[in-house]
Amino acid sequence: MQTLFQQLDTFLTHTQNYWRFEPFHHSAEPALPWSEPKLKEWLLGLSERQIETFKAQPDTLIEQLAPFIANLTDFHTLTALHKIQHSAPELTAIEQGVPGRKYDQVRLMGGAALAHHHGSEWLEWCSGKGYLGRVLAQNSQQRVTSFEFQQALCESGQADADALQLEMHFIQGDAFDGASQAVFHRQQHAVALHACGDLHVRLMQYASRASLSAITLSPCCYHLIEDETYQPLSQFARNSALHLSRSELRIPLQETVTGGERVRRHRFAEMSYRLGLDELLRYELSMEQYLPVPSIKKSQLSAGFEAFCQWAAQQKQLSLPEVDYAGYQQRGEQRFWLMERLSLVQQGFRRLLEMWLVLDKALYLNEQGYQVTLSEFCDRATTPRNILIHAVKSG
Ligand SMILES: C[S@@+](CC[C@H](N)C(=O)[O-])C[C@H]1O[C@@H](n2cnc3c(N)ncnc32)[C@H](O)[C@@H]1O
C-alpha cells in the first residue's frame, strides 16, 4: 500500500493540469488547461451523444483517454479493488420502504462486516435510523450501539429496534464533541456506512485510540470538512506535495448514478442558463468574476432562460439591459458542452483521486496498528461510493 500510494501520489502530482481545474469556470476561457493538441482535437471532435456515452461508461472513457495520457490505464489497473466475497444476509429486520439502492447498500455492507467480524459487540457510527445496525444485531445476536446526532432518528431507530426485539441501543451525541469517545470500547467492531468527511476521520481517530477490535467503513463526501484543505492522516500523505482544496475534494463525488432523462434535461437547462447568464453579465455589465446565483426550484426552469435571468437579477438586485436573450442562451449551451468535454478529462482521474484519499486512510490505520484491506462492497450502479475500508487490530 505504501508503494502504491507513493506511485499514485507522484502520478497525480505530475498530471495535475488534467484534473486540477473547475470545468464550470474554466469553460469561460478559450485556452484549455493542458497543451496536448491531439487531446484537444479528440475532445472537440466528440459529438454530444459520444460525450454522454463516455460520461456514463467510465471504463470506456479511460480506454479512450489512454493514448493521450501516459500511464492512466496502468494506474486504474493498479488501484482496482476486488469485490468483497460474502453471502449477503436477507433483511427481515429492515422495513419496507427503504429505497432500493439503500436497501442493497445496507445488505451488502452488513454482509461484508459480518463475514469479517472481530469483537464481541458492534458500534454503528453516525447510524441514522440504524438500518445497518439492525442487520448486524439480527445476524450476529450481539449488542449494537448506534451513535447518531439527530434525536428524532435515534428515537425512531430505537422504537423500530425494540419492536423487532433487537439488542440495539441508540446514543444521541455529537461526533465532534470529545465526550463521544466514551462510546468506544476495545471489544467493539465499529461500522460506518457513508459517514461524511470529518465524521469518518473522527471514527478512525477515536476507534484507533480506544484500540477497537475492528473498523469497517465506507467513506463519502470527502469535502465535508472543517478545514479549507484536506488534512492528510498518514505520514506518507503528510509528505505529499498535493494539497487538496475543499472544492478539489468534490472531484471524486462527481460521478453520480444517473438519474435518468428528466434529471439530465434539468441539469442541462440549469447549467446552460447559469453559463448563459454569466456570458450576459460579462459582456453587457462588464462583470469579470462569476456571480454565484442561489439555487432554483427545478419547476422554475420551465419558464425559460429570460425568466431565469430576470429572477437571478432580482435575487442579486441588478437591473438588466434589453439584450438578445436567445443569443446568450445559445452561448450558455455552447459553454455547457465545452464544460462537459473538459469534465471528461477530469473524470479520467476521479477514481484515482478517491483512491489517494482512501489509501491515506488505510495507511493511517496501518500506522495505528491495524491490518487493513480495501475492497468494493457493491457495484457502482448501487452507489459510486462503494469502497470498503476494513481494519483489524493486529496481535
Ligand atoms: C450520510 S448519513 C448516513 C446514515 C447511515 N449510516 C446510513 O447510511 O443510512 C450521515 C449521518 O450522520 C449523522 N451526523 C451528522 N453529523 C453528525 C455528528 N456531528 N455527530 C453524529 N452524527 C452525525 C447524520 O444525522 C446522518 O444520520
Side-chain angles (χ1 to χ4, degrees), residues 102 105-106 124-132 147-150 153 171-177 180 191-196 199 218 220-221:
K102 189 79 191 169
Q105 291 164 30
V106 168
E124 186 187 18
W125 187 243
C126 301
S127 61
K129 283 175 82 175
Y131 293 129
L132 179 59
F147 184 86
E148 165 58 43
F149 183 70
Q150 294 184 53
L153 296 182
I171 296 181
Q172 188 282 326
D174 180 356
F176 299 115
D177 180 344
S180 64
V191 292
L193 171 58
H194 294 159
C196 309
L199 293 175
S218 70
C220 77
C221 300

Side-chain angles (χ1 to χ4, degrees), residues 207-220:
S208 53
R209 239 174 254 165
S211 293
L212 262 69
S213 304
I215 308 161
T216 305
L217 79 133
S218 70
C220 77

Side-chain angles (χ1 to χ4, degrees), residues 36-50:
E36 284 74 359
K38 289 209 166 127
L39 175 56
K40 178 177 172 180
E41 197 184 312
W42 173 78
L43 214 51
L44 297 183
L46 293 176
S47 67
E48 290 169 8
R49 201 193 170 104
Q50 282 174 310

